[in-house]
Amino acid sequence: MRSFFTIFTLALCAVAGAGAVFAAGAAKPAGRGTIVAFGDSLTAGLGVPESEAYPARLQRKLQQAGYQWTVINAGISGETSSGALARVDWVMKLKPDIVILETGANDGLRGQDPELTRRNIDKIVASLRAKGVVVVLAGMKMLRNLGPAYTGKFAAIYPRVAKEHKVILIPFFLDKVAGKESLNLSDGVHPTGTGYAIIVDTVYPYLLEAIKQKGGH
């Protein structure tokens, strides 16, 4: 599990590093700001080097396109939506313009009541929106062995919250990766570096929409 100190240190390094890249002369700037990848182990990048997790890969993709936006990895392995709700104020200390919220998977794996998960995510999104943050909500689905009633209620959480708060929804964060043995670690749950590359391609167009909402190009 990443400590808060480690994440904050990485965040400062990311800001400094991004500034150095563009000072040296990269692509034409297309807006500037801070994106916080807020989530659990799927965001933290459990089992892969930091550079292969999706936030770092997303940072590189943005830089290559000329966007001077910094992506901060604020993922905590093992975190539930309740833990994420308790961390909102801490995340706001990173001064995000955009938050990519990926949470709830651990709730589902523990069989938690989907209504509690929905309420937690609803409160997180409402809190971020109230502070002027553009939210990109990462939709999640649950393992079929939990039964159709449970998986249906769980999957419905994300579009409902997105609709109620009018935020950008990624229909399924693990699209084209979930269930693919070659794209996941031996636990069958956490993506490999190659799996994260696909996740970045999934997330990217929704993030560009968020940047536009923030006045980027």
Side-chain angles (χ1 to χ4, degrees), residues 22 28-34 66-70 211 214-217:
F22 284 96
K28 184 179 179 180
R32 159 192 318 266
T34 300
Y67 288 87
Q68 298 187 51
W69 286 70
T70 298
I211 290 174
K214 267 299 183 180
H217 303 291

Side-chain angles (χ1 to χ4, degrees), residues 84-106:
L85 177 59
R87 267 206 303 149
V88 172
D89 288 343
W90 179 84
V91 166
M92 286 306 302
K93 292 180 181 179
L94 299 173
K95 302 184 185 303
D97 296 289
I98 297 169
V99 164
I100 304 171
L101 177 62
E102 173 275 307
T103 191
N106 288 317

Side-chain angles (χ1 to χ4, degrees), residues 131-204:
K131 295 176 175 67
V133 176
V134 173
V135 177
V136 179
L137 180 60
M140 196 62 60
K141 297 179 182 179
M142 201 35 59
L143 302 175
R144 293 179 181 178
N145 60 8
L146 292 172
Y150 186 90
T151 57
K153 289 179 181 178
F154 186 89
I157 291 170
Y158 301 89
R160 177 178 172 181
V161 172
K163 182 178 180 180
E164 290 177 350
H165 291 280
K166 296 181 173 60
V167 299
I168 297 166
L169 174 68
I170 302 170
F172 184 31
F173 182 73
L174 296 175
D175 187 38
K176 300 178 183 177
V177 175
K180 303 291 181 64
E181 186 175 347
S182 63
L183 298 176
N184 289 277
L185 302 178
S186 58
D187 62 11
V189 174
H190 296 94
T192 61
T194 303
Y196 276 120
I198 294 172
I199 288 171
V200 167
D201 287 341
T202 295
V203 171
Y204 192 67

Side-chain angles (χ1 to χ4, degrees), residues 36-98:
V36 173
F38 182 12
D40 49 40
S41 58
L42 295 173
T43 292
L46 182 69
V48 301
E50 175 87 8
S51 62
E52 292 188 25
Y54 103 80
R57 287 177 174 273
L58 188 58
Q59 172 82 79
R60 293 195 294 272
K61 190 174 182 71
L62 286 168
Q63 288 180 340
Q64 289 166 3
Y67 288 87
Q68 298 187 51
W69 286 70
T70 298
V71 182
I72 298 173
N73 187 338
I76 298 279
S77 294
E79 185 174 72
T80 62
S81 63
S82 295
L85 177 59
R87 267 206 303 149
V88 172
D89 288 343
W90 179 84
V91 166
M92 286 306 302
K93 292 180 181 179
L94 299 173
K95 302 184 185 303
D97 296 289
I98 297 169

